[in-house]
Amino acid sequence: MAIKNSINVGIIGFGTVGTGTARILIENADIIRRRLGAPVVLKKISDLDVKRDRGLKLTGVQLTTKAQEIFIDPEIDVVVELIGGYKPAKDFILEAIKNKKHVVTANKALLAVHGEEIYAAAEQAGVTVGFEASVAGGIPILAAVKNGLAANNIKSIYGIVNGTCNYILTLMTNEGRKFDEVLKEAQAKGYAEADPTFDIEGIDSAHKLAVLAMLAYGTPVKFDDIHTEGISKITPLDIDFAKDLGYKIKLLAITKMVDGEIEARVHPTMLPEEYPIASVDGVFNALSIVGDAVGSTMFYGRGAGDMPTGSAVVSDIIDIGRDILAGCTDRTPVTAFRERRPLKIRKMEDITSCYYLRFSAIDKPGVLSRITGVLGKNNISISSMIQKGRKVDEAVPIVMMTHDAIERDVRKALDEINKMDCVAGATIVIRVEEGKQG
Amino acid sequence: MAIKNSINVGIIGFGTVGTGTARILIENADIIRRRLGAPVVLKKISDLDVKRDRGLKLTGVQLTTKAQEIFIDPEIDVVVELIGGYKPAKDFILEAIKNKKHVVTANKALLAVHGEEIYAAAEQAGVTVGFEASVAGGIPILAAVKNGLAANNIKSIYGIVNGTCNYILTLMTNEGRKFDEVLKEAQAKGYAEADPTFDIEGIDSAHKLAVLAMLAYGTPVKFDDIHTEGISKITPLDIDFAKDLGYKIKLLAITKMVDGEIEARVHPTMLPEEYPIASVDGVFNALSIVGDAVGSTMFYGRGAGDMPTGSAVVSDIIDIGRDILAGCTDRTPVTAFRERRPLKIRKMEDITSCYYLRFSAIDKPGVLSRITGVLGKNNISISSMIQKGRKVDEAVPIVMMTHDAIERDVRKALDEINKMDCVAGATIVIRVEEGKQG
């Protein structure tokens, strides 16, 4: 085999991340070559729109509207898929793999749903799929799970992996404003999309969690396995109660190994405000990983944007380039494990957590004892309670913090409580993370 | 070449980190094998004391008092040096390399002084030297610099890399106590050594910085190149002034690329309290890395201890194991760069920083104008000033915060000011980090 003297790259998708990736490959060519020992050459970029000026010096880069011109080009070593979505991204990636191209992608939605098929195809073809950019943008978190913490049994991962949600919650917390209002501002500033559903309903976070949990535990974890709740029901009232109790509310992607089963869930979570991850504000992402040897770690940085995400894409290209130049194939498995085991994903009803419960109860004698009675008979014990304001015969908020309880018991108790005539409206439930972080 | 079906390891040094490393190799053997695809077998451990019970099940592990039995054993693939210090650690490592063993070490002191010789020997022999454990314990920070952020020109690294100092400063800050008293408590609790010089004088931090800066910039950086100040002169008074001004004092290891030159320095630093790294307390370590593409990142975790440091040692063993099993040599250069360039290390007198200056000045008319006059003629301008308490004709503390100034100018001005008859005692100088963190 001829010795390679360059790593040739083609990019499918010349949008935000495609432009950032191209910019890094062009403007940081010197540092990349010095680290790798050979130049990374951006040969081709495909996009439906090749006319728009992206402000880049594209000397020597071929632009095309046909993606297949990239994945069939015999000179291209690495195909970078940055169009996102399921179709035609999946076909492009599988075609590239068939043509023995290494693939780099930032497409968490695709990996969360069709990852197993893609990983298997890559393994069979003897090529690598790099997807560092699919989770938490520029933070090298997948590398940490695959390599840096490889000596550890991962006990848990808690991640703030959606900048839009964290930005909205930060503004709601710091300025006491309502969700709808802050969302509109985030949309105006470009921090939230016109259709924000994927972000605010936790779907994007769940896509990322599927990828992370698969790498952490060496077992397939699919988007459908993940319990997903968003932040649209969080109110300033709950944020205020959280503050009073010493907590902050964050949208967390959580995965844990509990008694040989995996928990994987996305929901608003109350975190003790002294936890490092609780102070991560604005559009920043952060992940706390607890390993049995290393203890508690945290990784923090920008989770989105052209250049941070491009940084992760190019780090994958360099990693693949090192394999190619050293003539080694299949050095690290795409899934981080040589021996994977199908592990059970624990049903949401079976998880154990502490809970914040906010009841809207009519303020009259006997109400508290009826509520606590139902909780008690469902094995839910209370660690603290707050009642603010008194308005006889009107609904007032009563907050109870529970000790560890089983989700199924909580749901059963609330079904009964929510039907009581002295309870006005559905009880608000926010899970509370009280576990030691290493 | 026969296909390897295990990675065989020998450990030199059965102290704290050696024990942690052995414990992980034994107790986490299953997860390591599943990730790597072959078992990592701990074959031998050498130590002067092989009698003491370390609480490990050492079935099949040979104990010896002779280190050479490890580095000459033809069955051993990876030699782990964990005795620390310069002699005989350096000889053991060079002998291991000569015998074509890959080496893993946590020995920052050795690498900061003799690193270049060791890297060159390894490169010539075609073996790897892994030293993730030498900086910030379990935090995979060297991997981040070598791989995860490889697409970036590193603009700066700010690190809290000595847990002893951070523990002492945290107690001084939170409890208003004096250095000597807190040091004694830290010694009693085992967080500081009987001879704490290496830690409290910043020497250990400078050793780690030498390793980090070399990897970040692809140029040799030696311990002697690094300006090093410790924390023994920090007083509760300065911590209080810092608080009033919105800062926290941390011992930072700092390296930056400025106009094509490298700054590398260790000293107490005032950080705006809203910086993520400013809130890192106790024995924890954290490093903020700013890259031109990724922006600001932070990595946080335990920087010392048997298991966290062992986690880093074993991650290096797994990394080397992946190379061995894939049959690839020289995949990633030991120094992270294929093409290194000798870059100038900026002299401390030439750096630019903001400064906190605390004068002990006799409180009488004209003193302020004399001090500010000397500062002004040395190109130092003041951004704010605090004077607390008034005692006519006695020395009172006057604090001035400067705009960006050159160290040489500050030293010259203070030489003159400290000689004034209205100034009682040497002026306290603490550098202030005001740069945007990405």
Side-chain angles (χ1 to χ4, degrees):
Chain A
M1 203 177 82
I3 290 166
K4 294 277 303 178
N5 50 22
S6 70
I7 302 300
N8 299 327
V9 172
I11 298 176
I12 301 175
F14 204 12
T16 305
V17 179
T19 304
T21 300
R23 185 181 300 282
I24 294 169
L25 289 177
I26 293 163
E27 295 180 358
N28 286 9
D30 182 60
I31 189 78
I32 293 167
R33 186 185 46 72
R34 287 177 60 209
R35 289 211 170 96
L36 184 58
V40 173
V41 179
L42 179 54
K43 289 209 53 167
K44 282 184 186 171
I45 305 174
S46 78
D47 197 276
L48 295 179
D49 173 6
V50 292
K51 297 272 165 67
R52 187 163 55 87
D53 181 13
R54 274 88 168 174
L56 293 174
K57 281 189 192 165
L58 294 170
T59 322
V61 182
Q62 242 179 284
L63 294 176
T64 170
T65 55
K66 295 194 177 63
Q68 62 267 37
E69 282 193 22
I70 289 181
F71 55 72
I72 66 170
D73 184 334
E75 289 191 352
I76 284 178
D77 305 298
V78 184
V79 171
V80 181
E81 181 276 306
L82 296 172
I83 54 173
Y86 302 103
K87 268 193 166 235
K90 184 185 163 195
D91 297 331
F92 289 170
I93 287 176
L94 290 176
E95 283 297 320
I97 289 171
K98 241 186 237 164
N99 285 286
K100 305 282 179 196
K101 309 298 185 196
H102 302 283
V103 171
V104 175
T105 178
N107 195 334
K108 49 261 177 189
L110 180 62
L111 295 175
V113 176
H114 300 291
E116 292 301 313
E117 184 182 346
I118 291 167
Y119 310 143
E123 208 162 286
Q124 217 193 336
V127 296
T128 293
V129 182
F131 41 97
E132 183 62 78
S134 69
V135 180
I139 309 171
I141 194 70
L142 303 189
V145 172
K146 289 173 77 165
N147 309 316
L149 305 178
N152 291 262
N153 288 294
I154 305 288
K155 293 163 78 171
S156 58
I157 302 179
Y158 303 87
I160 295 172
V161 291
N162 185 278
T164 305
C165 286
N166 206 46
Y167 176 82
I168 292 173
L169 288 174
T170 300
L171 252 66
M172 289 178 70
T173 303
N174 294 349
E175 302 177 8
R177 291 160 66 195
K178 285 188 181 159
F179 173 79
D180 290 333
E181 187 191 322
V182 174
L183 170 60
K184 265 183 208 137
E185 185 179 315
Q187 286 171 317
K189 287 194 178 169
Y191 292 154
E193 315 235 0
D195 177 357
T197 315
F198 261 46
D199 291 321
I200 63 169
E201 294 307 338
I203 298 165
D204 173 73
S205 294
H207 287 151
K208 291 164 178 168
L209 184 62
V211 173
L212 257 178
M214 180 279 289
L215 285 182
Y217 297 116
T219 198
V221 178
K222 285 199 152 196
F223 172 68
D224 288 339
D225 296 328
I226 297 172
H227 172 89
T228 303
E229 286 173 41
I231 62 166
S232 55
K233 287 173 193 145
I234 298 294
T235 64
L237 184 62
D238 296 308
I239 289 175
D240 276 351
F241 274 119
K243 261 187 217 170
D244 287 350
L245 292 157
Y247 294 88
K248 266 183 143 181
I249 299 178
K250 294 288 183 189
L251 183 72
L252 287 196
I254 300 174
T255 184
K256 296 183 187 184
M257 176 74 86
V258 182
D259 304 329
E261 293 181 7
I262 289 169
E263 289 184 16
R265 45 192 166 101
V266 171
H267 51 68
T269 310
M270 283 175 50
L271 284 168
E273 58 192 7
E274 67 272 17
Y275 279 23
I277 200 171
S279 63
V280 173
D281 280 341
V283 296
F284 277 90
N285 281 197
L287 296 104
S288 165
I289 304 184
V290 182
D292 62 350
V294 75
S296 184
T297 61
M298 191 179 81
F299 302 78
Y300 166 96
R302 291 185 183 275
D306 54 346
M307 299 296 278
T309 311
S311 168
V313 169
V314 176
S315 82
D316 273 346
I317 296 172
I318 293 172
D319 200 47
I320 290 169
R322 284 179 171 149
D323 277 347
I324 294 174
L325 295 169
C328 64
T329 49
D330 191 31
R331 180 184 178 276
T332 308
V334 176
T335 58
F337 277 76
R338 287 283 170 209
E339 185 196 323
R340 302 176 89 211
R341 283 181 197 157
L343 293 169
K344 199 178 155 195
I345 315 288
R346 186 167 282 199
K347 286 206 186 80
M348 195 61 193
E349 304 90 81
D350 294 334
I351 73 145
T352 297
S353 178
C354 300
Y355 292 81
Y356 161 98
L357 306 173
R358 175 165 62 79
F359 305 97
S360 289
I362 311 294
D363 193 0
K364 58 182 180 187
V367 171
L368 263 186
S369 104
R370 287 180 63 193
I371 290 174
T372 52
V374 174
L375 294 175
K377 81 174 179 200
N378 285 289
N379 315 305
I380 300 159
S381 66
I382 304 302
S383 64
S384 63
M385 201 190 83
I386 306 180
Q387 183 177 349
K388 270 195 180 170
R390 295 218 56 176
K391 293 180 189 168
V392 176
D393 290 331
E394 279 184 51
V396 292
I398 298 175
V399 165
M400 295 186 194
M401 304 290 284
T402 78
H403 289 294
D404 266 344
I406 296 170
E407 176 93 7
R408 174 182 292 105
D409 291 339
V410 173
R411 292 184 185 182
K412 203 175 147 212
L414 294 184
D415 270 351
E416 189 174 340
I417 290 170
N418 287 340
K419 283 176 199 146
M420 288 179 180
D421 51 8
C422 59
V423 168
T427 302
I428 301 296
V429 181
I430 302 176
R431 294 169 197 89
V432 181
E433 202 51 57
E434 282 287 12
K436 280 183 213 151
Q437 295 211 314
Chain B
M1 204 176 81
I3 289 166
K4 294 276 302 178
N5 50 22
S6 71
I7 303 300
N8 299 326
V9 172
I11 297 176
I12 301 175
F14 204 12
T16 305
V17 179
T19 304
T21 300
R23 185 180 300 281
I24 294 170
L25 289 176
I26 293 163
E27 296 180 358
N28 286 8
D30 182 60
I31 189 78
I32 293 167
R33 186 184 47 72
R34 287 178 59 211
R35 290 211 170 97
L36 184 59
V40 173
V41 179
L42 178 54
K43 290 209 57 169
K44 284 184 185 171
I45 305 174
S46 79
D47 198 275
L48 295 179
D49 172 7
V50 293
K51 297 272 165 69
R52 186 163 56 87
D53 181 13
R54 273 88 169 175
L56 293 175
K57 281 189 192 163
L58 292 171
T59 323
V61 181
Q62 241 179 285
L63 294 176
T64 170
T65 55
K66 295 194 177 64
Q68 61 268 38
E69 283 194 21
I70 288 180
F71 56 72
I72 66 169
D73 184 335
E75 289 192 351
I76 284 179
D77 306 297
V78 184
V79 171
V80 181
E81 180 277 305
L82 296 172
I83 54 173
Y86 303 103
K87 266 190 167 238
K90 183 185 164 194
D91 297 332
F92 290 170
I93 287 177
L94 290 175
E95 282 298 320
I97 289 171
K98 240 187 239 166
N99 286 286
K100 306 282 179 196
K101 310 295 185 198
H102 301 283
V103 171
V104 175
T105 178
N107 194 334
K108 50 262 177 188
L110 180 62
L111 295 176
V113 176
H114 300 291
E116 292 301 313
E117 184 182 346
I118 291 167
Y119 310 142
E123 207 162 286
Q124 218 193 336
V127 296
T128 293
V129 182
F131 41 97
E132 184 62 78
S134 68
V135 180
I139 309 172
I141 194 69
L142 303 189
V145 172
K146 287 173 77 164
N147 309 316
L149 305 178
N152 290 262
N153 288 294
I154 305 289
K155 292 163 78 172
S156 59
I157 302 178
Y158 303 86
I160 295 172
V161 292
N162 185 278
T164 304
C165 286
N166 206 46
Y167 176 82
I168 292 173
L169 288 174
T170 299
L171 253 66
M172 289 178 69
T173 303
N174 294 349
E175 302 177 7
R177 291 160 66 195
K178 285 187 182 161
F179 173 79
D180 290 333
E181 187 190 322
V182 174
L183 170 61
K184 264 184 208 138
E185 185 179 314
Q187 286 171 319
K189 287 194 177 169
Y191 292 155
E193 315 235 0
D195 177 357
T197 314
F198 260 46
D199 291 320
I200 63 169
E201 296 306 340
I203 297 164
D204 173 73
S205 294
H207 287 150
K208 291 165 179 167
L209 184 61
V211 173
L212 256 179
M214 180 279 289
L215 284 182
Y217 296 117
T219 198
V221 178
K222 285 199 152 197
F223 173 69
D224 289 340
D225 296 327
I226 297 172
H227 172 89
T228 304
E229 287 172 41
I231 61 166
S232 55
K233 286 173 194 147
I234 298 293
T235 65
L237 184 61
D238 296 308
I239 289 175
D240 277 351
F241 275 120
K243 262 187 215 171
D244 288 349
L245 292 159
Y247 294 89
K248 267 182 142 181
I249 299 178
K250 294 288 181 189
L251 183 72
L252 286 195
I254 299 173
T255 184
K256 296 184 187 184
M257 175 74 85
V258 182
D259 304 329
E261 293 182 8
I262 289 169
E263 289 184 16
R265 45 194 167 99
V266 172
H267 51 70
T269 308
M270 283 175 48
L271 284 169
E273 59 193 6
E274 68 271 17
Y275 279 23
I277 201 170
S279 62
V280 172
D281 281 341
V283 296
F284 277 89
N285 282 198
L287 297 103
S288 165
I289 304 185
V290 182
D292 62 351
V294 76
S296 184
T297 61
M298 192 179 81
F299 302 78
Y300 166 97
R302 291 185 183 276
D306 54 347
M307 298 297 277
T309 310
S311 168
V313 169
V314 177
S315 82
D316 272 345
I317 295 172
I318 294 171
D319 200 48
I320 290 168
R322 286 180 170 149
D323 277 347
I324 294 173
L325 294 169
C328 64
T329 50
D330 191 30
R331 180 184 177 275
T332 308
V334 176
T335 58
F337 277 78
R338 286 285 169 207
E339 185 197 321
R340 302 175 91 211
R341 284 180 197 158
L343 292 169
K344 199 177 155 195
I345 314 288
R346 186 166 282 200
K347 286 206 186 81
M348 194 61 193
E349 303 91 81
D350 294 333
I351 73 145
T352 297
S353 178
C354 300
Y355 291 82
Y356 161 99
L357 306 173
R358 176 163 61 79
F359 305 97
S360 289
I362 309 296
D363 192 0
K364 60 182 179 188
V367 171
L368 263 187
S369 100
R370 286 181 64 192
I371 290 174
T372 52
V374 175
L375 295 175
K377 83 175 178 198
N378 284 289
N379 315 305
I380 300 159
S381 65
I382 303 302
S383 63
S384 63
M385 202 189 84
I386 307 180
Q387 182 176 350
K388 269 194 180 171
R390 297 218 56 175
K391 292 179 189 169
V392 176
D393 289 333
E394 278 185 49
V396 291
I398 298 175
V399 165
M400 295 186 194
M401 304 291 283
T402 77
H403 289 294
D404 265 345
I406 297 169
E407 176 94 7
R408 176 182 291 105
D409 291 339
V410 173
R411 292 184 185 181
K412 203 174 147 215
L414 294 185
D415 270 351
E416 188 174 339
I417 291 169
N418 287 340
K419 283 175 200 148
M420 289 180 181
D421 51 8
C422 59
V423 169
T427 301
I428 301 296
V429 181
I430 302 176
R431 293 169 199 89
V432 182
E433 202 49 59
E434 282 286 11
K436 279 183 213 149
Q437 294 210 316

